[in-house]
């Protein structure tokens, strides 16, 4: 397989992210978007002609695409879709045994830096004194909550504290909730207008508040990151990678 130029397919090409990915690919030298589709069922033969598929769709569509690519031994995948159910993980892992896949809830450099900072702060600040709350805001058309990025930030905070995020997550509050449990990691969600993506991780103690935050100003940020992930993954062996690997922030890279 020759990667000069790298031939990519864009799944979800009529969506907000799909359009941004096509624009980012056009602007990136050495990359050519040769296939774009926004409905199920691209011909397996058409996919065989590309090196990497970049997917920003919905979980059901992503899972079908992952299976198709894995069954025919390629192309590689960059998965930006969020909102997968916990039971989808085994299908993604099985596919990644056959083809290389980069999956991330956020392709920006800043958020991937933030993940490391959050892990470090959560490790240093005792759970008995510092309550962790993750707040996120997105546009009114977003269909999953909390965002994939908020969940990644929660997992980073939990890993800093040496616990599983599922064991400590507080995903909703309503009515007489009682006091906050020690060590809980709370998530709050705002939806409205055209907000591209705002995330904050708050460490609240009795006498001080530390806030680490990220603000995305334009979704071309994620699209450029996804195109760089495609360039990176094209030459990798099968495996399930994330943006930390692409950026060289993890030992696997
Ligand atoms: P969108 O609704 O604008 O676009 C999704 C597109 O997928 C639609 O055009 C739809 O027609 C298409 N689609 C649906 N089923 C399909 C199928 N079977 N095959 C091909 N196309 C299909 O949504 P969006 O704002 O572009 O977001 C898409 C996904 O990307 C969401 O899960 C969102 O959370 C995620 N996202 C991830 C990042 C990141 O950095 N990882 C950034 C932004 C958005």
């Amino acid at each position: 397989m020759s990667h000069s130029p790298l031939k990519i397919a864009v799944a979800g090409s009529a969506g907000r992210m799909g359009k941004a990915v096509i624009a980012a690919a056009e602007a990136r030298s050495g990359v050519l978007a040769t296939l774009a589709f926004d409905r199920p069922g691209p011909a397996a033969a058409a996919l065989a002609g590309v090196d990497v598929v970049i997917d920003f769709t919905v979980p059901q569509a992503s899972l079908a695409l992952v299976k198709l690519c894995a069954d025919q031994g390629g192309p590689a995948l960059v998965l930006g879709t969020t909102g997968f159910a916990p039971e989808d993980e085994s299908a993604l892992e099985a596919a990644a045994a056959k083809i290389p896949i980069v999956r991330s809830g956020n392709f920006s450099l800043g958020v991937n830096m933030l993940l490391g900072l959050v892990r470090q702060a959560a490790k240093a600040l005792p759970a008995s004194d510092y309550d962790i709350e993750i707040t996120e805001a997105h546009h009114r058309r977003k269909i999953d909550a909390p965002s994939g990025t908020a969940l990644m930030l929660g997992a980073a905070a939990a890993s800093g504290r040496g616990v599983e995020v599922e064991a400590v997550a507080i995903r909703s509050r309503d009515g007489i909730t009682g006091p906050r449990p020690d060590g809980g990691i709370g998530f709050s969600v705002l939806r409205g207008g055209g907000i591209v993506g705002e995330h904050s991780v708050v460490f609240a103690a009795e006498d001080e508040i530390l806030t680490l935050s990220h603000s995305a100003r334009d979704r071309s940020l994620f699209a450029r990151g996804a195109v760089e992930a495609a360039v990176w993954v094209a030459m990798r062996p099968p495996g399930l990678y994330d943006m930390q690997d692409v950026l060289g922030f993890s030992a696997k890279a």
Side-chain angles (χ1 to χ4, degrees), residues 114 118 122 125 127 129-136 146 150-151 153-154 157-158 161 168-173 177-189 198-205 209-213:
L114 181 62
V118 166
L125 302 172
D129 295 336
Y130 290 82
D131 297 322
I132 300 179
E133 289 282 319
I134 296 167
T135 70
E136 61 103 331
L151 295 171
L153 290 166
R161 286 189 166 170
V168 294
I170 305 164
R171 295 277 286 256
S172 65
R173 295 183 178 104
T177 60
R180 195 183 196 287
D182 272 353
I185 296 180
F187 291 84
S188 6
V189 175
E198 302 288 324
H199 292 90
S200 292
V201 181
V202 178
F203 296 83
I209 296 176
L210 169 67
T211 305
L212 300 174
S213 64

Side-chain angles (χ1 to χ4, degrees), residues 10-20 37-42 55-62 64-65 79-84 103-108 138-139 141-144 147-149 152 196 219 221-223 226:
V10 179
S13 55
R16 282 175 290 272
M17 278 307 302
K19 286 181 196 152
F37 55 97
D38 197 66
R39 279 186 301 193
D55 168 273
F56 285 90
T57 56
V58 292
Q60 211 185 355
S62 304
L65 188 61
L79 286 184
T81 303
T82 61
F84 290 101
R103 179 176 51 139
S104 180
N106 196 302
F107 287 99
S108 80
H138 282 87
H139 55 88
R141 288 166 295 269
K142 184 164 177 61
I143 59 171
D144 55 316
S147 68
T149 302
M152 286 161 60
V196 173
R219 53 179 58 81
L221 170 73
F222 309 126

